[in-house]
């Protein structure tokens, strides 16, 4: 097996080595400042089989990210359902609405893809906040928790976060996933109000309210990169 090319990232205060495989199969090694290059290389060598397996998964199982171009007929997903983009020219102000299985976007210049995609992202954010606020309101009572607030953020590598003071944030892109996957992410974060870690007790709580959570996790592993503009 050929040696792995990798980038070393040293972080102050870090005590252990960690290998991170990016979606494009770049290998990053998070390392403490006190370890030398030889020690890091030995660690990577020990993990060759694991690295190869992860890279094979990325190449052959995970669905790749393909950027949107904001062209007529392009598909966008809302709660897993396909909506085709219908561009309309005219008016002084951009506008957007969901009409059945279409996402209608009105632009002064239909060739302005940047403005069109920004309008679509803003719509997604607004829809995600309303949907997730209502969903968490229904789930919280069943789980027995009271979140302090629900918000939307743009995370790079997570679908949600729960803060110690009860604030919960979701990655707005999750609203593109099927409804049962969105529900799992909501249950996951709400259960962190009961358990601040990923202990066995935490996963029991998740399973109590979302029995098929493993299927949702696998769906995100395979399709997560596609939830983007």
């Amino acid at each position: 097996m050929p040696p792995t090319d990798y980038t070393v990232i040293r972080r102050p205060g870090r005590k252990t080595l960690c290998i991170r495989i990016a979606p494009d199969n770049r290998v990053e090694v998070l390392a403490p400042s006190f370890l030398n290059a030889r020690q890091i290389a030995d660690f990577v060598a020990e993990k060759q089989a694991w690295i190869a397996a992860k890279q094979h998964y990325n190449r052959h199982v995970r669905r790749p990210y393909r950027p949107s171009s904001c062209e007529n007929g392009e598909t966008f997903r809302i709660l897993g359902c396909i909506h085709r983009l219908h561009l309309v020219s005219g008016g002084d102000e951009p506008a957007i609405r969901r009409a059945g299985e279409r996402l209608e976007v009105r632009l002064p210049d239909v060739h302005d893809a940047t403005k069109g995609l920004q309008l679509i992202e803003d719509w997604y954010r607004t829809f995600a906040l309303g949907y997730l606020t209502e969903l968490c309101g229904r789930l919280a009572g069943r789980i027995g928790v009271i979140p302090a607030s629900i918000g939307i953020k743009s995370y790079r590598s997570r679908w949600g976060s729960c803060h110690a003071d009860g604030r919960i944030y979701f990655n707005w892109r999750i609203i593109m996933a099927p409804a049962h996957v969105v529900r799992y992410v909501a249950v996951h974060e709400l259960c962190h109000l009961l358990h601040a870690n990923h202990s066995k007790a935490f996963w029991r709580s998740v399973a109590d309210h979302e029995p098929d959570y493993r299927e949702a996790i696998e769906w995100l592993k395979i399709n997560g990169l596609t939830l983007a503009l």
Side-chain angles (χ1 to χ4, degrees):
M1 186 177 296
T4 298
D5 292 328
Y6 57 90
T7 301
V8 177
I9 301 173
R10 296 187 183 272
R11 291 187 171 169
R14 187 173 185 88
K15 297 180 180 179
T16 59
L17 281 165
C18 174
I19 296 175
R20 186 165 60 190
I21 312 295
D24 61 3
N25 275 339
R26 287 178 295 107
V27 179
E28 297 176 335
V29 182
L30 308 183
S33 57
F34 57 82
L35 291 181
N36 60 42
R38 182 70 265 166
Q39 290 171 304
I40 295 171
D42 289 344
F43 177 77
V44 173
E46 291 175 2
K47 299 294 183 180
Q48 284 291 309
W50 179 86
I51 293 170
K54 290 290 184 181
Q55 290 177 328
H56 182 273
Y57 185 89
N58 281 348
R59 282 192 297 267
H60 301 290
V61 179
R62 294 186 82 179
R63 293 179 182 169
Y65 160 71
R66 291 186 175 87
S68 302
S69 56
C70 199
E71 295 181 354
N72 242 332
E74 187 177 1
T75 58
F76 292 84
R77 292 184 182 272
I78 304 168
L79 295 172
C81 298
I82 293 176
H83 290 66
R84 292 201 174 273
L85 181 63
H86 179 64
L87 293 172
V88 180
S89 180
D92 296 328
E93 293 294 329
I96 185 170
R97 75 185 186 103
R98 184 184 181 189
E101 296 181 352
R102 296 200 309 186
L103 197 60
E104 296 183 353
V105 173
R106 181 180 296 277
L107 293 169
D109 177 8
V110 293
H111 301 295
D112 190 344
T114 300
K115 184 168 289 186
L117 288 174
Q118 186 59 58
L119 188 68
I120 293 169
E121 179 178 328
D122 291 343
W123 183 91
Y124 267 120
R125 287 173 175 271
T126 300
F127 180 77
L129 180 60
Y131 184 89
L132 285 160
T133 298
E134 190 275 334
L135 177 62
C136 287
R138 286 190 284 109
L139 293 173
R142 301 173 193 175
I143 296 172
V145 296
I146 302 176
S149 64
I150 303 295
I152 297 297
K153 286 193 175 183
S154 292
Y155 291 121
R156 284 186 60 192
S157 58
R158 61 171 63 181
W159 299 112
S161 66
C162 179
H163 294 249
D165 60 4
R167 289 176 296 128
I168 291 177
Y169 292 98
F170 294 99
N171 188 331
W172 63 268
R173 296 176 182 86
I174 194 61
I175 209 65
M176 301 178 189
H180 74 279
V181 176
V182 179
R183 177 187 164 92
Y184 154 69
V185 173
V187 167
H188 184 115
E189 298 308 329
L190 288 167
C191 284
H192 274 312
L193 294 175
L194 297 173
H195 309 280
N197 48 35
H198 289 104
S199 62
K200 290 182 179 179
F202 166 80
W203 288 112
R204 281 196 296 269
S205 294
V206 171
D208 285 343
H209 301 284
E210 192 62 30
D212 297 328
Y213 74 90
R214 290 184 179 86
E215 188 274 334
I217 292 173
E218 186 63 17
W219 191 96
L220 284 171
K221 285 182 180 178
I222 295 172
N223 300 282
L225 294 179
T226 69
L227 305 184
L229 298 180

